[in-house]
Amino acid sequence: MSYTPSYAVGALVAIGGVMGFVNKGSLISLFAGLAFGGVIGYSGFMIHNGQILNGHQLAAAVSVALACVMGMRFAKSGKVMPAGAVAGVAIASAFYHINKVMTMKKLA
């Protein structure tokens, strides 16, 4: 069930983008949330359907990118919500998926 974190993080990020649009009218939040969330969710689909290594690699790459983007926003604004929280979730996701990739490559 290593696909569950991807589905959860993808949904969380997508919902966050929608909330940014609803609360602040931010189209950038909407598009970025749906794009990042959609790709992370798709990585879960890949993992679920047998493309385990590729799915974890995709999720790791997107999570690192999201952590960088939101980490920079957090550093600039100092606001924990939403930038700091999303950066934290993305960092946790990146560590999880990188660990999975490294474990699989050791076993291969």
Side-chain angles (χ1 to χ4, degrees), residues 12-66:
L12 185 67
V13 171
I15 290 167
V18 171
M19 292 301 295
F21 176 72
V22 169
N23 291 334
K24 302 283 184 178
S26 173
L27 282 174
I28 292 174
S29 291
L30 177 65
F31 292 136
L34 292 176
F36 278 103
V39 173
I40 293 173
Y42 179 69
S43 74
F45 176 80
M46 290 173 69
I47 295 164
H48 196 164
N49 288 291
Q51 294 180 302
I52 298 169
L53 181 60
N54 290 337
H56 283 298
Q57 288 173 328
L58 177 61
V62 175
S63 295
V64 167
L66 183 60

Side-chain angles (χ1 to χ4, degrees), residues 37-104:
V39 173
I40 293 173
Y42 179 69
S43 74
F45 176 80
M46 290 173 69
I47 295 164
H48 196 164
N49 288 291
Q51 294 180 302
I52 298 169
L53 181 60
N54 290 337
H56 283 298
Q57 288 173 328
L58 177 61
V62 175
S63 295
V64 167
L66 183 60
C68 289
V69 170
M70 296 307 280
M72 289 189 305
R73 285 189 63 196
F74 174 63
K76 188 175 182 178
S77 71
K79 295 181 180 178
V80 175
M81 281 304 286
V86 174
V89 168
I91 289 168
S93 176
F95 275 115
Y96 173 78
H97 291 291
I98 289 168
N99 180 50
K100 286 290 195 179
V101 169
M102 303 266 299
T103 301
M104 281 185 235

